[in-house]
Amino acid sequence: MGRVSDAKMRLMDAVLELLWTGSYGSTTIDQICEKAEVKKGSFYYFFESKSELAAEALAASWQDRQAELDRMFSPMVPPLERLRKYCDFSYKIQQEIKQKYGRVLGCPQFALGAEVCTQEDRLQKKIQEILDYKRRYIESAIRDAHAAGLVHAPDAAAKARMILAYYEGVLTQARIQNDVEVLRDTVGGMFAMLGVKEETAAAV
Amino acid sequence: MGRVSDAKMRLMDAVLELLWTGSYGSTTIDQICEKAEVKKGSFYYFFESKSELAAEALAASWQDRQAELDRMFSPMVPPLERLRKYCDFSYKIQQEIKQKYGRVLGCPQFALGAEVCTQEDRLQKKIQEILDYKRRYIESAIRDAHAAGLVHAPDAAAKARMILAYYEGVLTQARIQNDVEVLRDTVGGMFAMLGVKEETAAAV
DNA sequence: CATTTTCTTTACTAAACAGACAACTATAAA
DNA sequence: TTTATAGTTGTCTGTTTAGTAAAGAAAATG
């Protein structure tokens, strides 16, 4: 009962866009409100701080993303093909982003995580959680690839951490250089790290 | 002639520490001045903005770092050992940093680059320049390793970009997770990417 | 239709902030 | 010892910022 509103959602959309196209420290509550067309009084009705809004918005956007990852990393998909799909997907997303904003923006969690990790503990926890979810998708693909004899990776967890670091590193490099082409052969680096033979790689 | 001063240097030291332990957006000119024990009037005597100070400070600190890299990447050092020395060096630095600040701080250029790339053009250019210098060290090591038959890497430039992305990714992950152990086997990932055989890797 | 609840709006405070300026001080060189 | 130069200081400006509070408007429910 009572009045209904989508202001909360508009605030979450606004903050995500501002964080991604700019940075956490440079986006103000006033800016967020202006972009969301919400008065500051309403902002404080829904959230108690910028960091709380950011954490909630990140969590919500991860929910959406997760559904897509579930499809890409389905056990029905051959394990190495999962990684390829993931890289193709990132490449496509970044191309669209560049079309839309005139800039490659990379991975919002990773960029934000590196920025706020020494300052915003609550937000930081949420980001670590999301990055850990990502790692698990990769880890299960590696484990399946190992079981199928496609790669030799007895320690799938360590390999997954390595590959995630590489993946995020490449995306961040693309952001810094504002160049999607950096992402062209991301999967090549992953396969090299896993010691996938060239013939196998080509077949995937 | 005239009065002498080390205020400029103090300001550069202060901003580097604040950027590294915090972020660009969250450090204010007042904070920098306070840490450097310099009045704001003097700040504006030496620099016209925070971004100019940051760019100069980054360039100066890179100069120091470069001498160490020249030693590590000397053509007198076997090419794969250069990479190993580089990883060992990073690990040691981050351990010291964690001792000193209670936190792993990763790579200042990369973190800063990801934060400001959509906003501070001048600063961004300087960061890209420094990251490109780093890439060249790695590239020449790879080229020499290829020439020596240690690895198969006809496109050394592309491989170097990959390895730099991985290296920076791992450092950033260490920052986000505040854990040096993430860096323990950085060189293992590099060698895997280069397809170095285990026997060779152990020998380096 | 009334009333309770949910949301919105406006106006406000106090602090932090960037940036400018004129007066002041130290010192290297003439 | 003078003087030009390089650097310092305190004070002031206006603006942007986070955050509050109280009154008002819409709508779901009885």
Side-chain angles (χ1 to χ4, degrees), chain A:
Chain A
M1 62 167 62
R3 204 163 170 173
V4 292
S5 165
D6 62 344
K8 187 166 179 176
M9 223 188 60
R10 293 206 309 273
L11 283 168
M12 296 201 287
D13 290 345
V15 81
L16 284 179
E17 187 172 328
L18 287 168
L19 289 183
W20 212 14
T21 57
S23 68
Y24 183 82
S26 70
T27 74
T28 67
I29 293 176
D30 283 335
Q31 256 180 288
I32 298 165
C33 290
E34 195 186 9
K35 165 151 289 211
E37 295 180 278
V38 163
K39 302 289 178 203
K40 199 153 52 174
S42 291
F43 174 96
Y44 283 103
Y45 178 76
F46 291 110
F47 303 99
E48 69 174 8
S49 66
K50 182 171 75 170
S51 68
E52 202 205 49
L53 165 60
E56 272 201 47
L58 238 54
S61 86
W62 172 249
Q63 290 292 84
D64 300 342
R65 179 54 46 93
Q66 214 166 353
E68 291 177 277
L69 288 178
D70 282 337
R71 237 185 312 107
M72 285 186 272
F73 282 86
S74 160
M76 289 296 99
V77 178
L80 294 180
E81 199 180 316
R82 295 177 213 167
L83 297 177
R84 174 173 300 257
K85 275 180 191 293
Y86 190 34
C87 294
D88 289 349
F89 172 73
S90 297
Y91 184 67
K92 208 187 86 203
I93 294 273
Q94 296 296 327
Q95 270 185 321
E96 287 167 8
I97 288 292
K98 172 120 192 191
Q99 276 294 317
K100 184 168 177 189
Y101 297 104
R103 280 208 59 98
V104 178
L105 299 179
C107 166
Q109 290 95 29
F110 203 65
L112 199 60
E115 182 184 349
V116 305
C117 63
T118 61
Q119 302 163 52
E120 300 285 347
D121 209 63
R122 227 179 102 69
L123 180 51
Q124 180 58 12
K125 287 272 158 55
K126 179 52 74 181
I127 290 171
Q128 281 183 352
E129 195 187 307
I130 293 176
L131 289 174
D132 200 57
Y133 288 144
K134 282 198 197 184
R135 201 212 69 232
R136 291 190 214 171
Y137 282 100
I138 297 171
E139 189 178 326
S140 83
I142 294 175
R143 193 170 285 122
D144 289 355
H146 179 77
L150 295 165
V151 301
H152 176 70
D155 190 350
K159 273 273 188 287
R161 252 191 302 276
M162 256 185 200
I163 285 185
L164 180 62
Y166 164 68
Y167 170 79
E168 296 287 358
V170 171
L171 273 172
T172 308
Q173 207 171 60
R175 176 179 168 100
I176 293 176
Q177 297 181 233
N178 192 28
D179 181 9
V180 278
E181 288 315 298
V182 170
L183 303 171
R184 187 170 270 296
D185 193 31
T186 308
V187 77
M190 287 190 183
F191 284 1
M193 273 185 156
L194 290 171
V196 176
K197 288 156 218 75
E198 303 255 334
E199 313 86 77
T200 321
V204 171

Side-chain angles (χ1 to χ4, degrees), chain B residues 86-87 90 134 162-171 186 190:
Chain B
Y86 190 35
C87 293
S90 298
K134 284 199 196 182
M162 255 184 201
I163 285 184
L164 180 62
Y166 164 67
Y167 170 79
E168 297 287 357
V170 170
L171 274 172
T186 309
M190 287 192 184

Side-chain angles (χ1 to χ4, degrees), chain B residues 32-63:
Chain B
I32 298 164
C33 290
E34 196 185 8
K35 166 151 287 211
E37 294 180 278
V38 164
K39 302 290 177 196
K40 200 154 48 173
S42 290
F43 174 95
Y44 282 104
Y45 177 75
F46 291 111
F47 304 99
E48 67 174 8
S49 66
K50 180 171 75 169
S51 70
E52 203 206 47
L53 166 60
E56 272 200 47
L58 237 54
S61 85
W62 171 247
Q63 290 292 85

Side-chain angles (χ1 to χ4, degrees), chain B residues 12-13 16 54-68 108-109 130:
Chain B
M12 295 201 288
D13 289 346
L16 283 179
E56 272 200 47
L58 237 54
S61 85
W62 171 247
Q63 290 292 85
D64 301 341
R65 180 53 46 95
Q66 213 167 354
E68 292 178 278
Q109 290 94 31
I130 293 176

